[in-house]
Amino acid sequence: ESIEVGMASCTGLSILLVDACRSVGVPARFVGTPLWADGSGNHSWVEIWDDGWHFTGAAEPTGNQLNQAWFENRASQAVAEDEQRAIYAVSYRATPQHFPMVWAPDVDSVYAVNVTHRYVKKLPVAKGFARILFSALDDSGRVPASLRVYGPQGKVLAETKTHDESHDANDYLTLDLPVGARVDVRLRWKKQSSRTVFDVTEDETLVEAIIGQEVQAQVLRPSQRLWRAHQKELQQTRAEEMKNRVLQFKEWSLPFWWITFGEEPVGGHSLWISLHGGGGAPSEVNDQQWENQKKLYQLEEGIYVAPRAPTNTWNLWHQSHMDIFLDRLIENMVALHGVNPNRVYVLGYSAGGDGVFQLAPRMADRWAAAGMMAGHPNETKADGLRNLPFTLHMGAEDGAYDRNQHAARWKVELAALHEEDADGYPYWVEIYPGKGHWMDRQDAAAIPWMAKHTRNLRPAKVVWLQDDVTHSRFYWLAVDQPAARSRLVVQREGQTFQVLAADGLQEFKIRLDASMVDFSEEIVVLQDSHVLFQGKVAPSMEIRRKTLAERGDPSGIWDAEITVVIP
């Protein structure tokens, strides 16, 4: 209708823009207010989703820029508690709120959420205070529980109600509380209650109470809150592929099999990814090797996963799609099966060992330890193993492709690297006399040695040597434009980071969190005596979201980052 007549009200234009966005895969929803706070009339506009909701007018006089519109000031004065002067977004989900359409006031069939708080001007957090979010839930979702916050000496700091499902799910009751204070939070809903006591830190914190359960409310810091939302999303979107035990990427498929050993420890099961042999052979040969790998090793504890290689080529485990598959498999196992992300191990036999030689250094920050059995290193180098416990097992008579000679050479090279850098390159190389390509399972000794190690994502020194298959992040370092064979070495001590090598790079990023640095103090980055960066860095929710989205690794969420330019 709007197209036919060539014009429309803000409502008609908004509907048209929502339809256009949805037609090309951009999630969009209709938004509006029945009455501006100053009483000057109603208005409609659009929100689109791109890692959060962003607004735009459907026909802005200065062009369509997200989060910029002529009505920003008016929207900032909306009143959430006033049904006529609040701002609403439509919802497919059944909610307690209907969208109040001033052109059809008797129609209550369109569901909505109250999104006023996302448009009202947010006051900056006063010095010495922190912004705390509150939410109360029962079986039906969020509920308007009565909330009272007590501070020191029993002083009441706040008394109000939490938001229910008529509000946007991203909108929480927000209070600014004094940093360092121990607060006592009590919530009550329909004669049921919840209580928690916690110390207010500088971090934005979510306090979430499950009403009616005999438990204290949960206190979630920003990274925990982001991870839980991410985990919930994966549980909904990836359950089917885990049930089918097949991952898909472009034209490749990765079937996988797993079995669980032992009781789940505190922190979650360990995960062991075991790569089969075979390689450049008919499919039936690699299928048989996969079946062998399923039975090759036993664990005291952990989830043992044997994937079937996507191809039947000689380099079946170290083509570039494998890094993507393994990242997704780890992310799924952590989110859906409670795996401890800091206790993920990789091992492989024969062609699987070839894969470990390649995948261990280039994905070193994913593994707690790596075990290479009877494989060939090809062109890979050991530099990236600085913070990864690495064990190599080889039959002394395994002369095909000079595997035994390469193993002996690696033993010497690892020893030299460890001697030069005593805090790095933990290794164990075992070459079995009289054994050929089959080591009669003596290589299984690698399992308990590997299990003793836990991943450290925040080591004091990082040596990053890129392979021909490149990555954009490695421990607490990152690059926007990874270059094959580039080499970056950075060491940290307190607030100071020293760039020891930066070959083939023009700039890189240093990721930070509160366990590494004090954000209230200056951070310095040096190369020789040159200052590449000096200043304070503030934690950012944007960086936390970005670094979680990169891998879905709850331990790999960073609070802030510095961009370092190489002279």
Side-chain angles (χ1 to χ4, degrees), residues 203-206 220-227 541 544 557 559:
D203 283 330
E204 182 183 275
T205 300
L206 170 64
L220 300 174
R221 303 303 178 192
S223 295
Q224 295 171 301
R225 203 168 75 240
L226 288 172
W227 162 247
M541 285 301 289
R544 290 172 179 137
I557 302 173
D559 295 328

Side-chain angles (χ1 to χ4, degrees), residues 183-213:
V183 295
D184 182 348
V185 179
R186 304 183 190 188
L187 297 108
R188 188 168 185 81
W189 167 248
K190 292 184 176 180
K191 299 183 180 180
Q192 300 183 76
S193 62
S194 180
R195 178 188 180 191
T196 192
V197 177
F198 70 97
D199 296 319
V200 179
T201 69
E202 292 183 353
D203 283 330
E204 182 183 275
T205 300
L206 170 64
V207 179
E208 188 168 82
I210 303 175
I211 300 296
Q213 291 191 12

Side-chain angles (χ1 to χ4, degrees), residues 2-39:
S2 299
I3 292 172
E4 286 176 0
V5 300
M7 66 176 69
S9 65
C10 58
T11 300
L13 292 173
S14 296
I15 290 171
L16 186 62
L17 180 56
V18 167
D19 289 344
C21 289
R22 291 176 178 173
S23 75
V24 292
V26 177
R29 65 184 183 182
F30 183 92
V31 186
T33 181
L35 187 68
W36 290 123
D38 61 6

Side-chain angles (χ1 to χ4, degrees), residues 403-424:
R403 292 192 191 98
N404 49 4
Q405 295 180 38
H406 286 293
R409 176 176 60 82
W410 267 65
K411 184 174 184 178
V412 173
E413 290 180 0
L414 287 168
L417 287 166
H418 179 65
E419 184 176 352
E420 184 180 343
D421 185 352
D423 293 328

